[in-house]
Amino acid sequence: MGLQSALTTALTGLQAAETTIDVVGNNVANSQTVGFKESEAIFATQFLQTLSIGSSPSTNSGGTNPRQVGLGVKVAEISPNFTQGTIEISSNPLDVAIQGDGFLLVQDGTDRLYTRNGQLKLNADNEITTTTGQRILGYAVDDDFNLLTNNLVPLSIPVGQERVAQATGNATLNGVLNPAVAEGDQPEVIESRVLGTDEIPAVDGTDFTLADVVEAATPTSFTAADSGVAAGLELPGGVYRYRMVFIDDNGLEAGISTEVEIDTSVSGEGVFLDNLQPAPANYMQRAIYRTDPGGTEFKFLETINATDTDYTDDGNTAVGATLDDAAIDTGAFSYYITYNNPSDPSAETRPTNRVGPVSITDNGRRIRLDLTDIPAPPDPNYTQMKIYRNISGDSSDFRLVDTVPAFGQTGYTASYIDSTESSLIAGAEQLNLDGPPANGGTLLTDVVLREGDIYVTPFEPGTLNFSADRAGIGLAEKSLEITSTTTLQEFMEFVGDAVGLDDTPNDIPFTHSTANIEIINGRIVVTSNMGEQNAIDIPLTAFNLTPTGGTIPSPVTLNFNATQKAVGPGTSSEFIAYDSLGLPINVRITTVLETRDSTSTTYRWFASSADNQLGEPDVSTVVGNGVLVFDGNGDLDDDNSTQRISVHRNDTASISPLEVILDFSSVKALGEVDAQQNPISSLNVTNQDGFPPGVLTDFIITNDGVIQGQFSNGTQRTVGQLVMARFANNDGLQQVGDSLFNVGVNSGDPTFGVPGSEGIGTLSAGAVELSNTDIGQNLIELILASTQYRGGARVITATQELLDELLALSR
């Protein structure tokens, strides 16, 4: 029995030595495996044969110890050594070294495993994997780059694919605002040409031409050679003078002839007038006027047919009304005609086309107007026609000559004879060539502009593009959709919004008058905000209209001119901000000195942006204004060192409004001058924290496992976070190959957390944890195991020899 037990005992020793060699061999083999933890074979005695349990001390004996013979050794445990491995720098930014307790989480198929090997890489889908292909688990991010900590998912780093933008939240300004410049107490004022309205029907004078306005016919061949004394008549003796006037077919007297003098010295004689000039067309009669013997006043004598070529004055005809010898002075004359509502003197249409000129070179002449080509007014309230004529020597000054009944009214005549001298109408009502002025309620499609003697309606349904200037800098183009119901008031509001008129203070009320746009006597008047840098100019090319269904725009010229120049130099500065989608927003800030006194200087700032999107039809570019109050040292009052602008983004998916805090704390109010000792000011935006869209170009992994993405626009965003696990008993984990561990029956359940929490170690990016194999120690253990193996073999050899001797006794 003894020799047999020796064999089996020695065999367990050989097996133990083999196990040690296996473990040491594995340790040495993985001495270059990243994250590898060496193991140690731990042994225990196997069975014992008790020969005697011994005895306790007695009176006769001191006691004996147990006598037991060991029956071999067993492997009690192969224990991993989880001591920290050496950290080595790596060239791969994805590599991570775990410092302290914990494991990275990986997904292997549907299983969740654990590893200390931090050699990581990206696959074709930009997922983070181990070198053996398992996906690394952690926290992903949402669309706003917030960590989603409620679920563990495979992590990815979409280099070259993920894009991000950062909205501007803060802008820092720097500069000097001079307290010695002139106060901005007078705004720029510009006004348009007169805008008329087509809502009041105009005179349809398209057929009223120069043929209808001519010098009135005058008997020019009425001379003394064709006159004489007729015997046998009862005309008292004396010297008589005669004049003749044509009468048109409306009973109006035309031009007056020169006088003819006849001497009838004997009573009972008469006067004959022979070879009378035939009347031209439109003249049906002629009137004969005569003086009393030796008199000077011509009185109506008789009317004869225009076809009669002679006339005899027999003295039997009663003397009538005195001759009206009024006549136009010499010159070139033109005419306009309007309709008028006598119950409302201000209700007058725009005039006909200009007719003329008719030249009058002789004294005593008249001009005849044929009114048959001017129809009745479309509005029955307009019952009168006003006739305007220019003053002699001034072809642009048209004055009221007369008011006559319109067609269809009582007293209407189809012609008019003008015999009014210019001096008599010089102070009369002046013609308004533009016609009735438009007002805010006028439909835009009814607005009329005068182009010389032509009246046009420049607006029609379509798209109106508008761009103006502010202080010589072009403003962004804005568009207005014109419909059949768009009013002039809506048009003016559009213009005011587009140029950035700011009439609402954000904090302290305006000291001086506010910006405004209004219509006065048919002219659009634009009053800018205070300061030279806010002066609005609307050039001739500001408006272009593309009709509905058309493709070619045409200009609408409103001819704005300055009637008052702005006072108050200031500054102007522009900067680019970005909304939440990374879209650029151009913001312009202007300043003007508002007030100053013995203790402080107050500047007003205005902010505008063409990218402000309030939604149709509001196109206001105003995004804010405020005041900067400086003390006697030129320092800004802390209460207004930071102010805010709001840019609306209703036409995009961006977060709206974009709120930007303006930091003015570095701005001073000091008396800077240029080389010529002129006061100067400056204001600049030195920094803003927004970024345009950028692509993910690089990343870093922090100690707490956060994957921080670096984008091409300079911004950084979290794109994920590594999560780790900790076990109560690491030695109880089950190794499953590929440097992976699985939960063991004696490891305990994993505790999850981010690096640095829950007793979990931290991570070092760009580094790896080397194997903790101690080659020297393992070689010593290998020597000892070899020695143990050889010793056990010698025991077996010795036992065999003894058995051989025992067997030899039989011989």
Side-chain angles (χ1 to χ4, degrees), residues 24 26-33 36-39 81 83 85 770-778:
V24 169
N26 184 61
N27 291 341
V28 174
N30 284 281
S31 61
Q32 298 300 312
T33 300
F36 175 76
K37 300 301 179 183
E38 69 175 1
S39 297
N81 178 7
T83 58
L770 299 181
S771 169
N772 66 352
T773 298
D774 186 340
I775 298 294
Q777 178 65 36
N778 277 272

Side-chain angles (χ1 to χ4, degrees), residues 403-428:
T403 301
V404 299
F407 179 84
Q409 302 299 318
T410 302
Y412 168 80
T413 57
S415 62
Y416 179 81
I417 303 296
D418 181 12
S419 61
T420 307
E421 188 178 351
S422 293
S423 61
L424 299 178
I425 63 172

Side-chain angles (χ1 to χ4, degrees), residues 473-530:
I473 299 176
L475 300 177
E477 185 176 86
K478 295 292 184 178
S479 297
L480 172 68
E481 291 300 320
I482 299 176
T483 68
S484 59
T485 61
T486 303
T487 65
L488 185 55
Q489 181 64 37
E490 291 171 334
F491 168 78
M492 291 192 298
E493 291 173 359
F494 161 74
V495 171
D497 289 342
V499 300
L501 299 181
D502 192 350
D503 60 355
T504 305
N506 283 349
D507 39 29
I508 300 176
F510 293 119
T511 301
H512 305 293
S513 61
T514 59
N516 189 28
I517 182 168
E518 55 188 333
I519 187 163
I520 302 175
N521 297 326
R523 297 182 186 271
I524 297 175
V525 180
V526 180
T527 302
S528 303
N529 286 106
M530 293 296 173

